[in-house]
Amino acid sequence: MRIGLLTDGGYPYATGESRLWCDRLVRGLAQHEFDLFALSRSAEQEAQGWVQLPIQVSRVRTAPLWTADEDVLGIRAPKGLLARIVTGGGARSYGRRERQRFTAHLTALAASVCAAGVANGEDESAGGGAGAGEPGADGRTTAADAQFIDGRTTAAAADAQFRDGLYGLAELAREHGGLSAALRSETAVRVLEAACRAPGTGRTVQAATVLDLLAFARELDLVLRPLSFDWYDEEGLGAVDLCHATSGGGAALPGLLAKRLFGVPLLVTEHGVQLRAHYLAATGTPLSAPVRALLAGFHGRLATEVYRQAAIVTPGNTHARRWQERCGAGREKLRTIYPGMESDRFTALGESGDSGPDDTLVWVGRIEPAKDLIALLHAFAEVRKAEPGARLRIIGAPARGPEGATYLAHCRALAAQLFPDEATDAHAVGDNPVSFEDIGGAEVPDLPDAYAAGGVVVLSSVVEGFPIGLVEAMFCGRATVSTDVGAVVEVIGGTGLVVPPRNPRALADACLALLRDPERRARLGAAARARALELFTVEQNLAAFRGIYLELISHAPVRRAAEEVDADGEPRPFATPPEAHVLGPWTASGPALAATAGRKPSWAVCAGARGAGGGDV
């Protein structure tokens, strides 16, 4: 079947989130054909190019979300696969009728966004009643029940408003060349202002100034940019059998339109919930409180609509699943599928039976404030009091940007303060028991060597989604001590020690317990490796998605092109040659054969591109 893979800031670019996972998915499901629809997040990301794409990727369309210039929107393709095409021309000016439609649709969307906080508050306040919308025990409807039902009704009405506004704006964008100019107009600001000042909206939203409304309109333009793409035709998303969005939010918008316009089923995968990521990121932005409230309302409504329209939603862990349920995803749609990770590189260490040095703790990861290395250093100070010979190796690079470098410098300064250089005698050179190292050096040439450097692997984070480093340590057969954040408990499953976050004393006690007991470390390490091999490999991930793809397509109605049916609407025999279903540029007569089919197969496109002198990307 043909899969439309929707990505946001990742695959096929050389940098970005979920890049490796998407590449493994495409390469592992070689029996399917993939069309990529990718959103880029920065000029730097585009400049770094694409990864090498496998033969089952037939077409690639990309569009930027980092620029306000609508003239760059359109189709792009790599040199060697397809000719680069950029759709020029910005949005045409709206006439009177189009302006009326725009005003009506934006009014509906803005009203639902401004009501989001109120509806959520009503839901929360009603949560402790006799039951989730059930009448009281005596069969009568109590005041709390009435409040709960009224809140649900208000939320449902606001969701319907959001749908009407969103799809109305999408239709307007398709018919008249985009929304950017309209969303940055005085009309849009007046509509947003009226929605914010309407009775019943929250005090934070009502306090929005004109500058706040302009900032929100700018953010809204970027989020809704996918509505203006030229992806929605029979040669684009209308040609795929299934849309697979690799995240929620903006990446899923094309999938919503593909389902609405062409009936294409939508599958949504979220390893980290997009709405949660937005909430976490918003606190560190210079946006004002009213703008953050409006954006939170919009993203909450969008998440609800994405989960409502998706045929299946696949969270990457139970922690993400709880967020999705809270945002309206039906339990019958949710299938937890853990991210698949390569285990082969850790096999030698994991099967060696070596439980590591008895005196060394190791931390591996990206150095940033969320990892709370400050608490780890204070915990290690307690460890050193009980075990003077203990060492701590912190292995990793700082996060990109000035914040990561500043945090690393702060950690180094604290380590120097807590642990002055020590010498064993008067003639020895002093040495600090805490070391900061990078992978790739003489001491730690590769990632498995980092985990082999210690007897206990420590994770001290205060914020964590799916702990990839923890799974890598499990593949290596290492005993672990972790903080109870994100999906840590779910991943560990009793094969390691878990302590509360921001508790250096508890962290130190757990580390000491394992350092002093090599046999226990070995047992936990062996159990951890067995659990990781059972749940977190690439093979189990591919098997799960292979089954879901087949399940969804088996329930989808057959869509046939006009050339594939006769006058009575029945399938025409041999309308599509068997060769059209074979991947790869295997014959020069492909384009001629494709001309007789209902749609042009990807091997014909690829063959033509390579014949013109291109090569694989």
Side-chain angles (χ1 to χ4, degrees), residues 8-11 13-17 39-50 66:
D8 183 2
Y11 196 68
Y13 294 102
T15 60
E17 297 180 1
L39 307 177
S40 67
R41 284 292 173 177
S42 67
E44 179 184 3
Q45 184 179 57
E46 291 201 350
Q48 292 183 3
W50 296 2
W66 47 271

Side-chain angles (χ1 to χ4, degrees), residues 193 196-197 203-213 290-291 294:
E193 183 179 23
C196 291
R197 305 290 188 267
R203 286 177 296 177
T204 302
V205 171
Q206 286 186 348
T209 65
V210 173
L211 290 178
D212 294 331
L213 299 176
V291 177
L294 289 168

Side-chain angles (χ1 to χ4, degrees), residues 282-294:
T283 58
T285 65
L287 298 175
S288 65
V291 177
R292 293 199 302 270
L294 289 168

